[in-house]
Amino acid sequence: MADLSALSSVSRVSTFTSGVNDVSSVARTRQYLVGGAQNAQAAQEVQGSFADTMADVVRETAGDLKTAEATSVAAVRGEVSAQKVVEAVMKAELSLKSAVAVRDKVVEAYQEFSRMSI
């Protein structure tokens, strides 16, 4: 039972972290609306473009998946505990679900734009 409670706490931390990321994007949007386009453009230059951010997310997700696979192989060899395997697989699963959710939202936004009349 201790392993399950550790996994649920890892899940809660990951959920909190994703919520913090959502709050920062809301703050950037609010800054854009209140501070004007010039301030937001300067902030965007420092933080990178949307495409760069998406590329980073894809790289991180791929890295998490590779780490989970390597950890699983190490466990088969007897080098890693089952708890480490479960943690790595859960992190990879969360990353993959997040990436799929972002992809779905991007596709949905594209479909909305394509339905707009000019």
Side-chain angles (χ1 to χ4, degrees):
M1 280 306 214
D3 292 338
L4 293 177
S5 65
L7 289 176
S8 66
S9 65
V10 168
S11 175
R12 277 187 255 129
V13 168
S14 298
T15 303
F16 174 75
T17 304
S18 65
V20 168
N21 291 336
D22 291 342
V23 169
S24 66
S25 65
V26 169
R28 283 195 303 271
T29 304
R30 190 171 293 135
Q31 176 188 4
Y32 178 80
L33 294 174
V34 174
Q38 293 174 346
N39 291 339
Q41 184 178 8
Q44 182 180 8
E45 289 173 3
V46 171
Q47 295 176 354
S49 69
F50 178 75
D52 292 340
T53 303
M54 290 296 103
D56 290 343
V57 168
V58 169
R59 277 192 286 276
E60 288 177 20
T61 301
D64 289 343
L65 292 171
K66 288 178 184 177
T67 302
E69 183 178 3
T71 306
S72 298
V73 170
V76 169
R77 292 182 186 148
E79 300 168 356
V80 178
S81 69
Q83 179 180 356
K84 296 288 184 186
V85 173
V86 171
E87 289 172 356
V89 169
M90 293 295 289
K91 182 177 180 185
E93 181 183 9
L94 183 63
S95 294
L96 186 60
K97 284 183 179 182
S98 298
V100 168
V102 168
R103 182 211 55 196
D104 291 345
K105 288 293 184 179
V106 168
V107 168
E108 183 180 328
Y110 173 78
Q111 289 173 342
E112 284 293 320
F113 283 128
S114 66
R115 282 183 267 196
M116 288 183 180
S117 61
I118 296 177

